[in-house]
Amino acid sequence: MSNKKVILITGAAMGIGRAAACKFARNDWSVAMIDREKEALMAVSEDLKKEGRDVEPFLCDVSDYEQCNDTVEKVVAHYRKIDALYNNAGVLGDRLGILDFDHKAFQEAFQTNVFGSMYMIQLVSRTMVERKLEGCIINTTSINADIATWDPVGYIGSKGAMRCLTRTCAFQLGKYKIRVNAVSPGATVTPMARASWENKEVYDTVAGLHIRNMWIQPEMVADAAFFLASEEAYGINGVILPVDDGYTCGKSADFSKIS
Ligand SMILES: NC(=O)c1ccc[n+]([C@@H]2O[C@H](COP(=O)([O-])OP(=O)(O)OC[C@H]3O[C@@H](n4cnc5c(N)ncnc54)[C@H](O)[C@@H]3O)[C@@H](O)[C@H]2O)c1
């Protein structure tokens, strides 16, 4: 068995997952890259292989239990073990609000964001327990789970569910020495949020909700996930780590000019 640590990253073809695959692979991890978008997945994994990185693409829709099961088996057959899981794949759904949301979009958000994450947690943590590995799991929640927003209600509910489940998984898997934490990104410049950041007015408004008037870059979230997976984070368990430039601190009006 190689001395390299192995991480399985879902949603690795684009956005934050792609940045995470690059971060881990360039820092000497072996990376099992999971996505359902074949072309994008192959393109990024080929680029990393050309750099000499140890990555392997696996086509999988995480909302399907059988596909997750099959994929985890293939990853273990390839790498012999999985040390870490980054549940990053996520879908937004529609933005139609409570009176009009589409029930299928609502279901799809839960199917990928919650069910897919839990399928992977169960399947991957079983492989860790079998091998007595002190593994680690990183989930993905969102600022939407902390504050009221106009984002899709299915998405918000799914991210709230992942907040609760992260803590519960940390507790239930703790006896096997598996740590479970989550990252909670602010508004991040990825394909998912393109409709917002491509519109100058929306971009500026959203930037203004972050303390330093900025958007989060995917690499910032990838760096936080990398830290949570590292030995330096060995004491950190059951934590939801905001990567949101203080968005969820809440911003008041600036009264500093009033004398
Ligand atoms: N972008 C933001 O502003 C933001 C903010 C907070 C949280 N997040 C969360 O961060 C994570 C990554 O988001 P992103 O912005 O990089 O998204 P993105 O849409 O840019 O990329 C998501 C990736 O996941 C893949 N994916 C989606 N559903 C899948 C499925 N069922 N099976 C396999 N792969 C699937 C997509 O193909 C894509 O490659 C998501 O969980 C998202 O909810 C994003």
Side-chain angles (χ1 to χ4, degrees), residues 11 16 35 37 60-62 88 112 155 159 185-186 188 190-192:
I16 294 167
D35 211 286
E37 295 294 332
C60 168
D61 181 339
V62 300
N88 162 79
T112 289
Y155 181 80
K159 294 301 176 183
T188 309
T190 66
M192 177 184 276

Side-chain angles (χ1 to χ4, degrees), residues 36 89-97 100-113 144 150-159 191-196:
R36 64 180 177 185
V91 292
L92 202 53
D94 64 37
R95 284 186 187 271
L96 300 176
D100 301 303
F101 71 81
D102 175 59
H103 69 281
K104 286 203 178 122
F106 194 99
Q107 279 176 4
E108 277 164 19
F110 270 78
Q111 199 67 46
T112 289
N113 304 354
N144 297 292
W150 269 105
D151 278 334
V153 287
Y155 181 80
I156 293 167
S158 72
K159 294 301 176 183
M192 177 184 276
R194 178 168 283 131
S196 303

Side-chain angles (χ1 to χ4, degrees), residues 6-22:
V6 179
I7 185 163
L8 186 161
I9 302 177
T10 68
M14 282 175 244
I16 294 167
R18 180 193 166 119
C22 294

